[in-house]
Amino acid sequence: MIKYLSLLMFTNLAFGKNLDEKTVSYYEKNKLSIIEKSEFNWRLFRNVKSWYPTTGNNNMISIEDFFVITNSMKERQLFSQKKKIIIRNITLSALSSSIGLTLIIAPQTGYWGVYIGLGPLIAGQWLMVKTNKIIAKPIISFDEAKNIADDFNKRLLFKNK
């Protein structure tokens, strides 16, 4: 009887403690946190406030992965729309700037090519500044991201219990 009781106590102490450590370590490893950052943007010549998500022990993840992990469909759609707008603006900027530079540099256009080429070149650079403003602005505010992360962490904690 003492053998069985000691075996039962040993397994309870050994495996019971490991289960709690595994649960805590799983939660700590997958827990999301949001860190606010403020940095100087050299393209816009001003301070830009933003945030970035981390998991576990400050392992930084992308904002797109953050929205996928938290199942935030509305924010994922906003992110994909923003991504499409950025790609479109960069493409149009590169095309417009290259046309303007070609008109300015090409010797066949002569004296008037410089004046005609300045229009597309300036338009391309304006699009690039507009794109940098879109890139610098976060999709959702820091507080909204923090609320999403807190909700996810609560669900993660209840899921592991």
Side-chain angles (χ1 to χ4, degrees):
M1 179 74 172
I2 294 176
K3 291 180 187 178
Y4 294 117
L5 186 59
S6 62
L7 181 64
L8 180 65
M9 287 178 60
F10 175 75
T11 55
N12 187 21
L13 288 174
F15 293 112
K17 192 173 184 181
N18 288 338
L19 288 175
D20 290 339
E21 288 176 7
K22 287 180 184 177
T23 304
V24 170
S25 66
Y26 178 78
Y27 173 74
E28 291 297 323
K29 188 174 89 171
N30 293 318
K31 182 176 116 176
L32 292 175
S33 58
I34 306 297
I35 299 173
E36 190 173 20
K37 68 177 178 178
S38 178
E39 59 185 16
F40 187 77
N41 189 328
W42 288 98
R43 295 179 185 138
L44 300 175
F45 295 110
R46 65 179 177 162
N47 278 336
V48 176
K49 288 187 177 183
S50 185
W51 55 270
Y52 63 92
T54 61
T55 60
N57 297 327
N58 291 332
N59 297 329
M60 192 168 133
I61 59 171
S62 70
I63 293 175
E64 187 174 14
D65 290 340
F66 171 73
F67 292 139
V68 169
I69 290 170
T70 58
N71 294 328
S72 303
M73 299 303 284
K74 179 181 154 193
E75 288 80 6
R76 279 173 59 186
Q77 289 174 349
L78 288 173
F79 185 79
S80 66
Q81 288 173 355
K82 182 178 177 180
K83 200 172 177 182
K84 288 177 186 176
I85 290 171
I86 289 169
I87 291 171
R88 185 190 67 206
N89 283 355
I90 289 174
T91 304
L92 289 174
S93 173
L95 182 65
S96 180
S97 296
S98 63
I99 289 171
L101 283 174
T102 303
L103 289 172
I104 290 171
I105 294 174
Q108 294 87 356
T109 59
Y111 179 70
W112 288 99
V114 174
Y115 296 113
I116 295 171
L118 280 176
L121 181 63
I122 291 171
Q125 295 307 307
W126 174 78
L127 268 173
M128 204 60 210
V129 169
K130 184 178 172 184
T131 303
N132 285 328
K133 286 182 182 179
I134 293 171
I135 291 171
K137 184 181 177 189
I139 297 166
I140 58 175
S141 69
F142 171 74
D143 294 329
E144 291 174 12
K146 191 103 169 137
N147 289 339
I148 290 172
D150 289 341
D151 290 341
F152 175 79
N153 290 337
K154 286 177 187 174
R155 286 187 308 227
L156 184 67
L157 189 61
F158 287 129
K159 186 173 145 183
N160 286 331
K161 284 189 175 184

